[in-house]
Structures are given as structure tokens and as C-alpha cells.
């Protein structure tokens, strides 16, 4: 059963307008600054701004009512699966996905999971080329009927992100989902952070995730694709990491978990015009042996041993151990799951 029927190109602007309508009514940050500024502002100007703010606040649409727009028809009926194909709910054949941070490490492993079950996966990263493991991952993907394609695309470039995702969706006449895995780390005591450092980390780890999700949602609404998004958070969004001073990183990951809940509320219901039906969930990994974490071990002696002793399994994770979770969240296997955070941390936060 297709979850993303092709529609005529002349329908796209109308469908897309449902996404952008609320944005056009938003109150600008400049106006907020004018209202809250300590500098004197003409009384009439202030009154006009407040009146406009009040008017727009009263006209901003509420989230769609889930009972009025239920998310039905997402998973194939049981009779379609039984006796037809093993693990049919996990089959991604012909579906199109974007994975940010996909040049190497966790992002590439998650992209592999989608491609190895038949998905067409576009990996975004700011690096000029993919990492060492790319060729082998691409070969395996083709062997199982999918493909991996690399695109140099920085999530901080919102306009470029829009263009690249739109190009992919237009090429395939669909977009079925996203894994937002791009992120950076920086270690420093709280009192040593500069505004510029904090803003850069939040721009990549939080704003970059949000811009990725919204860019993809525009195309999924445009082509009426009922799909799924997986935002990569961290157990660090729920706890303070013992032995590691990373207050902004941890805060950025907590923000991603909250973002997923809100996007799920807004996009999961299916509107009368067929748009929506997008599930949004998080994965919160524990400590993984990635290049970024290996760098942390170089910076903080004894950190690896400490982390290994802090979870119930006495070891750190490999990136490949999260492939099953990504496949679960991006496929019909998780058709009744949205707005949730899947913590996979070897028991670290359980004691």
C-alpha cells in the first residue's frame, strides 16, 4: 500500500500553502525587540505594535484536533502482511529519505539501515566527501535494493537545505522521512562559554534539526506523504553526564526531545486535504564509540573507563547497534508511535 500517492504538479502550491500560512502571520523578532526595548518608543507606535501583536495572537491557528483528523491507514492491514512477506512492516522499498550528519559515524549507520531494506537514502553533511566506510555501506545498500547518495549540505544553511530537499522530493515525487543526526560537541566549564560558542552549538544541534524537519515537512505536505521523522537526541538531554562538562550540548539535546513532541502534535493528524500524517520521534543514545567521543577521551583522561562503569552493560555502544531502532521508527513497524523518545543507553539512566 502506497503511503505517498503521486499528485499533479498544479496541486503542489495549494497543499504547500497550508504549511506556510501560519508562518506569514508570525510576529517578527524585530517587533518583539521594539516592544521590550528599554529605549523610548513613541506611544502611538507602541500601542500600534501591541494591538497588532494582540490581533495576530488571536488569529494563530490551534493545532489540529487528533480526533477530528485521525492518523488512520498508515500501517498495512494485518491480512496484507500475514503470509505475504516476512517482516513486511519493516520494508522500505521505494521510499525516499534524508539523513543529516550522514557522512560517517552514527548518521551513516542509520542511513545504512534504511538503504539495506530498500530505501533511497540521501546523506547530508558539511564535509566535502563521505568517510572511509562509505563505499562499503553503499555497496551493501545496492545489494539489498536500496541506494546511498552523498550531498554536501550544511544544516546551518537553511536556504540551501530547502533547495536540496526540494530537489530530491521533486525528483522522486515524494519524500517519506528524515533522520536528523547532525550535531557537534564542545567541552568547557559553564563560566568559560562565550555567547558565540553557545549560539553556534545551538544553531547546529537544535536549530539545524528544526530547519531540517521543517524543510522536509514542506515537501511531505506538498506530495501528501504520510511518513516519519527521527530526531537524534541523547541521554544527555535527560541527565548531566558524569565526568563531562558539556552544559550547552546537554541543553541542546533536551531541546530536541521537546521539539519532537511539538512537531508530532502539529504534524501527526491527517488533514482533510490529505496532508499531515507525519510521525515524529527521538532516539536518545547513550555513549557511542564515534569519532567525536574518541576525541573526548583524548581530552579527558580516564573518561572512557568511567563511562564504561556507569552503565549496566559495562561497555560503550557501537554505531551499528542503533540501526534497528532507526528502521523501527522510520517504517510501519512503529505506526502507533509519535511524540516519543526512545532511550538506548545500556541501562545508564536506569540506575
Amino acid at each position: 500500500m502506497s503511503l505517498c500517492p503521486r499528485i499533479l504538479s498544479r496541486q503542489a502550491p495549494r497543499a504547500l500553502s497550508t504549511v506556510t500560512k501560519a508562518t506569514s502571520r508570525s510576529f517578527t523578532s524585530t517587533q518583539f525587540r521594539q516592544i521590550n526595548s528599554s529605549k523610548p518608543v513613541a506611544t502611538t507606535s507602541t500601542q500600534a505594535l501591541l494591538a497588532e501583536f494582540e490581533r495576530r495572537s488571536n488569529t494563530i491557528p490551534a493545532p489540529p484536533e487528533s480526533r477530528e483528523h485521525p492518523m488512520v491507514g498508515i500501517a498495512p492491514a494485518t491480512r496484507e502482511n500475514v503470509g505475504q512477506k516476512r517482516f513486511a512492516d519493516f520494508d522500505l522499498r521505494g521510499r525516499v529519505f534524508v539523513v543529516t550528519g550522514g557522512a560517517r559515524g552514527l548518521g551513516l549507520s542509520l542511513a545504512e539501515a534504511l538503504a539495506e531494506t530498500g530505501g533511497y537514502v540521501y546523506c547530508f553533511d558539511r564535509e566535502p566527501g563521505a568517510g572511509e566506510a562509505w563505499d562499503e555501506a553503499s555497496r551493501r545498500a545496492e545489494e539489498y535494493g536500496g541506494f546511498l547518495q552523498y550531498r554536501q549540505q550544511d544544516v546551518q544553511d537553511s536556504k540551501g537545505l530547502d533547495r536540496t530537499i526540494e530537489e530530491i522530493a521533486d525528483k522522486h515525487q515524494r519524500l517519506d522521512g528524515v533522520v536528523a543526526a547532525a550535531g557537534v560537541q564542545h567541552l568547557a566549564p559553564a563560566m568559560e562559554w562565550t555567547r558565540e560558542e553557545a549560539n553556534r552549538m545551538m544553531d547546529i544541534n537544535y536549530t539545524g534539526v528544526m530547519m531540517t524537519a521543517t524543510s522536509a515537512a514542506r515537501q511531505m505536505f506538498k506530495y501528501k506523504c504520510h511518513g516519519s521523522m527521527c530526531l537524534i537526541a541523547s541521554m544527555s538531554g535527560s541527565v548531566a553526564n558524569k565526568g563531562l562538562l558539556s552544559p550547552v550540548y546537554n541543553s541542546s539535546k533536551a531541546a530536541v526531545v521537546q521539539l519532537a513532541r511539538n512537531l508530532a502534535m502539529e504534524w501527526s493528524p491527517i488533514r482533510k486535504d490529505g496532508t499531515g500524517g507525519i510521525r515524529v520521534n527521538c532516539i536518545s543514545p547513550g555513549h557511542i564509540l564515534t569519532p567525536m567521543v574518541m576525541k573526548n577521551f583524548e581530552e579527558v583522561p580516564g573518561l572512557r573507563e568511567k563511562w564504561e562503569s556507569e552503565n549496566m552493560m559495562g561497555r560503550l555502544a557501537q554505531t551499528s547497534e542503533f540501526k534497528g531502532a532507526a528502521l523501527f521508527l522510520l517504517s510501519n513497524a512503529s505506526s502507533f508511535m509519535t511524540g516519543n523518545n526512545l532511550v538506548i543507553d545500556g541501562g545508564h539512566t536506569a540506575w
Side-chain angles (χ1 to χ4, degrees):
M1 178 174 64
S2 174
L3 302 182
C4 182
R6 294 188 179 187
I7 61 174
L8 298 176
S9 60
R10 65 174 180 271
Q11 292 177 297
R14 185 181 67 219
L16 185 58
S17 67
T18 63
V19 186
T20 57
K21 194 178 293 181
T23 306
S24 67
R25 290 198 292 264
S26 62
F27 205 60
T28 68
S29 58
T30 302
Q31 290 171 315
F32 276 120
R33 286 196 297 270
Q34 288 176 327
I35 291 174
N36 293 294
S37 172
S38 59
K39 295 179 181 179
V41 180
T43 304
T44 55
S45 176
T46 303
Q47 289 175 340
L49 283 171
L50 289 171
E52 177 67 1
F53 173 66
E54 182 69 19
R55 183 186 72 79
R56 294 190 180 187
S57 296
N58 291 334
T59 58
I60 292 174
E65 285 288 341
S66 55
R67 282 200 69 183
E68 292 180 11
H69 305 285
M71 193 177 185
V72 297
I74 299 303
T78 303
R79 63 181 177 275
E80 295 178 14
N81 289 352
V82 175
Q84 300 298 315
K85 181 182 177 182
R86 277 189 277 180
F87 301 113
D89 283 338
F90 294 92
D91 187 7
L92 299 179
R93 188 173 305 171
R95 299 191 197 179
V96 181
F97 302 95
V98 166
V99 177
T100 65
R104 56 182 55 79
L106 180 62
L108 178 55
S109 285
L110 302 184
E112 280 189 80
L114 308 182
E116 288 170 358
T117 47
Y120 302 149
V121 185
Y122 292 84
C123 294
F124 292 4
D125 213 298
R126 61 185 177 182
E127 301 297 333
E132 298 176 359
W134 177 269
D135 289 342
E136 176 59 21
S138 181
R139 184 196 65 76
R140 286 197 298 267
E142 291 182 9
E143 182 180 335
Y144 290 103
F147 77 69
L148 291 173
Q149 190 172 118
Y150 184 77
R151 297 288 181 92
Q152 184 180 13
Q153 178 60 60
D154 193 334
V155 296
Q156 291 182 282
D157 176 11
S158 298
K159 291 182 178 179
L161 200 60
D162 283 339
R163 285 194 302 269
T164 307
I165 291 179
E166 182 178 22
E167 174 192 330
I168 291 167
D170 287 347
K171 175 182 177 181
H172 295 276
Q173 297 289 288
R174 65 187 299 143
L175 182 65
D176 296 280
V178 165
V179 176
V184 294
Q185 172 66 292
H186 175 66
L187 307 181
M191 289 185 288
E192 294 180 9
W193 280 78
T194 65
R195 176 180 293 273
E196 291 72 25
E197 289 169 340
N199 285 343
R200 176 179 178 273
M201 178 164 287
M202 293 301 294
D203 194 36
I204 297 171
N205 290 8
Y206 172 75
T207 307
V209 170
M210 181 173 180
M211 294 299 100
T212 299
T214 54
S215 288
R218 291 187 189 99
Q219 300 308 312
M220 294 171 79
F221 269 63
K222 175 180 175 179
Y223 289 107
K224 298 185 179 180
C225 291
H226 304 155
S228 179
M229 295 187 185
C230 173
L231 314 184
I232 303 304
S234 171
M235 71 171 188
S236 303
S238 304
V239 298
N241 299 80
K242 294 181 181 180
L244 197 68
L245 297 176
S246 51
V248 183
Y249 175 83
N250 292 12
S251 300
S252 71
K253 293 302 184 178
V256 168
V257 174
Q258 181 64 355
L259 175 65
R261 297 186 185 112
N262 285 270
L263 297 183
M265 174 188 69
E266 187 173 345
W267 296 340
S268 293
I270 300 176
R271 280 74 163 175
K272 291 180 180 178
D273 65 357
T275 59
I278 302 172
R279 299 181 295 105
V280 187
N281 293 288
C282 280
I283 293 177
S284 280
H287 298 306
I288 316 171
L289 290 170
T290 63
M292 186 169 70
V293 168
M294 296 303 290
K295 188 172 185 297
N296 292 160
F297 294 156
E298 294 174 6
E299 296 170 338
V300 184
L303 182 62
R304 178 169 185 164
E305 292 74 16
K306 184 173 185 61
W307 280 357
E308 288 175 342
S309 69
E310 291 293 338
N311 72 52
M312 297 177 180
M313 301 182 77
R315 65 175 179 86
L316 306 185
Q318 300 289 336
T319 59
S320 59
E321 294 183 281
F322 298 86
K323 293 171 67 174
L327 178 57
F328 170 68
L329 291 178
L330 272 294
S331 70
N332 290 334
S334 59
S335 59
F336 196 56
M337 184 172 179
T338 195
N340 277 288
N341 179 30
L342 191 57
V343 181
I344 307 173
D345 64 358
H348 187 111
T349 59
W351 63 1

Coordinates of all heavy atoms in Angstrom, one line a residue, residues 1 73-82 89:
M1 N 0.8 -1.2 0.0 CA 0.0 0.0 0.0 C 0.9 1.2 0.0 O 1.7 1.4 0.9 CB -0.9 0.0 1.2 CG -1.8 1.2 1.4 SD -2.9 1.1 2.7 CE -1.8 1.1 4.1
G73 N -4.9 4.4 8.5 CA -4.4 3.9 7.2 C -2.9 4.0 7.0 O -2.4 3.8 5.9
I74 N -2.2 4.2 8.1 CA -0.7 4.3 7.9 C -0.1 2.9 7.8 O 0.8 2.7 7.0 CB -0.1 5.0 9.1 CG1 -0.7 6.5 9.2 CG2 1.4 5.1 9.0 CD1 -0.5 7.3 7.9
A75 N -0.5 2.0 8.7 CA 0.1 0.6 8.6 C -0.7 -0.3 7.7 O -2.0 -0.1 7.7 CB 0.2 0.0 10.0
P76 N -0.1 -1.2 7.0 CA -0.9 -2.1 6.2 C -1.8 -3.0 7.1 O -1.4 -3.2 8.2 CB 0.1 -2.9 5.5 CG 1.4 -2.1 5.5 CD 1.3 -1.3 6.8
A77 N -2.9 -3.4 6.6 CA -3.8 -4.3 7.4 C -3.1 -5.6 7.6 O -2.2 -6.0 6.8 CB -5.1 -4.5 6.6
T78 N -3.4 -6.2 8.7 CA -2.8 -7.5 9.1 C -2.8 -8.5 7.9 O -1.9 -9.2 7.7 CB -3.5 -8.1 10.3 OG1 -3.4 -7.1 11.4 CG2 -2.8 -9.4 10.8
R79 N -4.0 -8.6 7.3 CA -4.1 -9.6 6.2 C -3.2 -9.3 5.1 O -2.9 -10.2 4.3 CB -5.6 -9.6 5.7 CG -6.0 -8.3 5.0 CD -7.5 -8.4 4.6 NE -7.9 -7.1 4.0 CZ -8.4 -6.1 4.7 NH1 -8.5 -6.2 6.0 NH2 -8.8 -5.0 4.2
E80 N -2.7 -8.1 4.9 CA -1.7 -7.8 3.8 C -0.3 -8.3 4.2 O 0.5 -8.5 3.3 CB -1.7 -6.3 3.6 CG -3.0 -5.7 3.1 CD -2.9 -4.2 2.9 OE1 -1.8 -3.7 2.9 OE2 -3.9 -3.6 2.7
N81 N 0.0 -8.5 5.5 CA 1.3 -8.9 5.9 C 1.4 -10.4 6.0 O 2.3 -11.0 5.6 CB 1.7 -8.2 7.2 CG 2.0 -6.8 7.0 OD1 2.0 -6.3 5.9 ND2 2.1 -6.0 8.1
V82 N 0.4 -11.0 6.7 CA 0.5 -12.4 7.0 C 0.5 -13.2 5.8 O -0.3 -13.1 4.9 CB -0.7 -12.8 7.9 CG1 -0.7 -14.3 8.2 CG2 -0.7 -12.0 9.2
D89 N 6.3 -5.1 7.6 CA 6.2 -3.8 8.2 C 7.5 -3.0 8.2 O 7.5 -1.8 8.3 CB 5.7 -3.9 9.7 CG 4.2 -4.2 9.8 OD1 3.5 -3.9 8.8 OD2 3.8 -4.7 10.8

